[in-house]
């Protein structure tokens, strides 16, 4: 936690770590960890990529790479069919935290 001194001035802060296969979070109250509000969920970025890639292959016979998925999520969607863009964004929104 690089900003530990700064978060002491806030009544509540949630620290989030989105990893490859898990997303972990922890609540801080005035800079002190509140272990009652923490969890590790199996919803990491690799899981998201895998789910989107599988759906695009099954539904549209399209093979997207991670860079394609990143581009679509970032709004750079001019290279992709609109139905693929909609499906990627829908899948990403369903697993947003």
């Amino acid at each position: 936690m690089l900003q530990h001194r700064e978060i002491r001035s806030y009544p509540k802060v949630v620290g989030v770590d989105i990893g490859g296969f898990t997303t972990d979070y922890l609540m801080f109250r005035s800079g002190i960890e509140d272990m009652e509000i923490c969890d590790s969920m199996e919803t990491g970025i690799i899981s998201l990529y895998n789910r989107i890639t599988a759906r695009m292959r099954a539904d549209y016979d399209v093979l997207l790479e991670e860079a394609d998925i990143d581009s679509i999520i970032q709004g750079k969607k001019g290279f992709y069919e609109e139905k693929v863009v909609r499906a990627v964004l829908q899948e990403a929104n369903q697993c947003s935290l």
Side-chain angles (χ1 to χ4, degrees):
M1 173 68 70
L2 297 175
Q3 306 299 324
H4 192 261
R5 287 185 184 164
E6 288 80 3
I7 68 169
R8 285 188 229 164
S9 63
Y10 295 96
K12 293 189 292 186
V13 173
V14 177
V16 179
D17 174 24
I18 302 173
F21 290 102
T22 63
T23 298
D24 307 312
Y25 67 90
L26 171 62
M27 172 79 76
F28 294 86
R29 296 183 187 277
S30 300
I32 300 170
E33 302 90 356
D34 182 347
M35 299 307 290
E36 295 291 318
I37 303 178
C38 66
D39 199 3
S40 182
M41 303 173 295
E42 294 181 12
T43 56
I45 194 70
I46 293 172
S47 303
L48 171 67
Y49 287 148
N50 290 344
R51 191 164 65 231
I52 290 173
T53 301
R55 179 174 174 196
M56 296 306 102
R57 221 179 3 233
D59 292 356
Y60 303 108
D61 197 28
V62 172
L63 179 59
L64 293 180
E65 296 178 355
E66 292 176 6
D68 298 313
I69 296 168
D70 290 342
S71 291
I72 292 170
I73 290 172
Q74 293 170 2
K76 303 170 192 168
K77 47 193 175 184
F79 299 104
Y80 310 97
E81 293 182 56
E82 185 59 34
K83 65 183 180 182
V84 171
V85 170
R86 276 195 308 272
V88 168
L89 294 176
Q90 178 186 34
E91 199 68 39
N93 284 329
Q94 285 179 357
C95 69
S96 61
L97 302 174

